[in-house]
Coordinates of all heavy atoms in Angstrom, one line a residue:
S185 N -14.4 -10.5 0.8 CA -15.5 -11.5 0.7 C -15.0 -12.9 1.3 O -15.8 -13.7 1.7 CB -16.0 -11.7 -0.7 OG -15.0 -12.0 -1.6
M186 N -13.7 -13.1 1.3 CA -13.2 -14.3 1.9 C -13.5 -14.4 3.4 O -13.9 -15.4 3.9 CB -11.7 -14.5 1.7 CG -11.1 -15.8 2.0 SD -9.4 -16.0 1.6 CE -9.5 -16.5 -0.1
Q187 N -13.4 -13.2 4.0 CA -13.8 -13.1 5.5 C -15.3 -13.3 5.7 O -15.7 -13.9 6.7 CB -13.2 -11.8 6.1 CG -11.7 -11.8 6.2 CD -11.2 -12.8 7.2 OE1 -11.8 -13.1 8.2 NE2 -10.1 -13.4 6.9
V188 N -16.1 -12.7 4.7 CA -17.5 -12.9 4.8 C -17.9 -14.4 4.8 O -18.7 -14.9 5.6 CB -18.2 -12.1 3.7 CG1 -19.8 -12.4 3.7 CG2 -17.9 -10.6 3.8
N189 N -17.2 -15.1 3.9 CA -17.4 -16.5 3.7 C -17.1 -17.3 5.0 O -17.7 -18.2 5.3 CB -16.6 -17.0 2.5 CG -17.0 -18.4 2.1 OD1 -18.1 -18.8 2.3 ND2 -16.1 -19.1 1.5
I190 N -16.0 -16.8 5.6 CA -15.6 -17.5 6.9 C -16.6 -17.3 7.9 O -17.1 -18.2 8.6 CB -14.2 -17.0 7.4 CG1 -13.1 -17.4 6.4 CG2 -13.9 -17.5 8.8 CD1 -11.8 -16.7 6.6
R191 N -17.1 -16.0 8.1 CA -18.0 -15.7 9.2 C -19.4 -16.4 8.9 O -20.0 -16.9 9.9 CB -18.2 -14.2 9.2 CG -17.0 -13.4 9.8 CD -17.4 -12.0 10.2 NE -18.0 -11.2 9.1 CZ -17.2 -10.5 8.2 NH1 -15.9 -10.6 8.3 NH2 -17.8 -9.8 7.2
E192 N -19.8 -16.4 7.6 CA -21.2 -16.8 7.4 C -21.4 -18.2 6.9 O -22.4 -18.8 7.0 CB -21.8 -15.8 6.3 CG -21.9 -14.4 6.8 CD -22.5 -13.4 5.8 OE1 -22.9 -13.9 4.7 OE2 -22.5 -12.2 6.2
N193 N -20.3 -18.8 6.4 CA -20.5 -20.1 5.8 C -19.5 -21.1 6.4 O -19.7 -21.9 7.3 CB -20.4 -20.1 4.3 CG -21.4 -19.2 3.7 OD1 -22.6 -19.3 3.9 ND2 -21.0 -18.2 2.8
V194 N -18.2 -21.1 5.8 CA -17.3 -22.2 6.1 C -16.8 -22.2 7.6 O -16.3 -23.2 8.0 CB -16.0 -22.1 5.2 CG1 -16.5 -22.4 3.7 CG2 -15.3 -20.8 5.3
G195 N -17.0 -21.0 8.3 CA -16.6 -21.0 9.7 C -17.4 -22.0 10.5 O -16.9 -22.5 11.5
N196 N -18.6 -22.4 10.0 CA -19.4 -23.4 10.7 C -18.7 -24.8 10.7 O -19.0 -25.7 11.5 CB -20.7 -23.6 10.0 CG -21.5 -22.3 10.2 OD1 -21.6 -21.7 11.3 ND2 -22.2 -21.8 9.2
N197 N -17.7 -25.0 9.8 CA -16.9 -26.2 9.7 C -15.6 -26.1 10.6 O -14.8 -27.0 10.6 CB -16.5 -26.5 8.3 CG -17.7 -26.8 7.4 OD1 -18.8 -26.9 7.9 ND2 -17.4 -26.8 6.1
M198 N -15.4 -25.0 11.2 CA -14.2 -24.8 12.0 C -14.6 -25.0 13.5 O -15.7 -25.1 13.9 CB -13.7 -23.3 11.8 CG -13.3 -23.0 10.4 SD -12.9 -21.3 10.2 CE -11.5 -21.0 11.2
S199 N -13.6 -25.0 14.4 CA -13.9 -25.0 15.8 C -14.6 -23.8 16.2 O -14.4 -22.7 15.6 CB -12.5 -25.1 16.6 OG -11.8 -23.9 16.5
A200 N -15.4 -23.9 17.2 CA -16.2 -22.7 17.7 C -15.3 -21.6 18.0 O -15.6 -20.4 17.8 CB -17.1 -23.1 18.8
E201 N -14.1 -21.9 18.6 CA -13.2 -20.9 19.1 C -12.6 -20.1 17.9 O -12.6 -18.9 17.9 CB -12.1 -21.6 19.8 CG -11.1 -20.8 20.5 CD -9.8 -21.5 20.9 OE1 -9.8 -22.8 20.8 OE2 -8.8 -20.9 21.2
H202 N -12.2 -20.9 16.9 CA -11.6 -20.2 15.7 C -12.7 -19.4 14.9 O -12.4 -18.3 14.4 CB -10.9 -21.2 14.8 CG -9.5 -21.5 15.3 ND1 -8.6 -22.4 14.7 CD2 -8.8 -21.1 16.4 CE1 -7.5 -22.5 15.4 NE2 -7.6 -21.7 16.4
H203 N -13.8 -20.0 14.8 CA -14.9 -19.2 14.1 C -15.2 -17.9 14.8 O -15.3 -16.9 14.2 CB -16.2 -20.1 14.1 CG -17.2 -19.6 13.2 ND1 -18.5 -20.1 13.1 CD2 -17.3 -18.6 12.3 CE1 -19.2 -19.5 12.2 NE2 -18.5 -18.5 11.7
A204 N -15.3 -18.0 16.2 CA -15.6 -16.8 17.0 C -14.5 -15.8 16.8 O -14.8 -14.6 16.8 CB -15.8 -17.2 18.4
M205 N -13.2 -16.3 16.7 CA -12.1 -15.3 16.6 C -12.3 -14.4 15.3 O -12.1 -13.2 15.4 CB -10.8 -16.1 16.5 CG -9.6 -15.2 16.4 SD -8.2 -16.2 15.8 CE -8.5 -16.3 14.1
F206 N -12.7 -15.1 14.2 CA -12.9 -14.3 13.0 C -14.1 -13.4 13.1 O -14.0 -12.2 12.6 CB -13.0 -15.2 11.8 CG -11.7 -15.8 11.3 CD1 -11.3 -17.1 11.6 CD2 -10.8 -15.0 10.6 CE1 -10.1 -17.6 11.2 CE2 -9.6 -15.5 10.2 CZ -9.2 -16.8 10.5
K207 N -15.1 -13.8 13.7 CA -16.3 -12.9 13.9 C -16.0 -11.7 14.8 O -16.4 -10.6 14.5 CB -17.5 -13.7 14.5 CG -18.1 -14.7 13.5 CD -19.5 -15.1 13.9 CE -19.7 -16.5 14.2 NZ -21.0 -16.9 14.6

Side-chain angles (χ1 to χ4, degrees):
S185 59
M186 190 173 275
Q187 289 296 323
V188 176
N189 191 27
I190 294 168
R191 288 194 302 276
E192 295 181 1
N193 301 307
V194 295
N196 294 315
N197 299 346
M198 298 170 66
S199 68
E201 184 196 349
H202 279 181
H203 191 191
M205 181 196 80
F206 283 103
K207 289 204 243 182

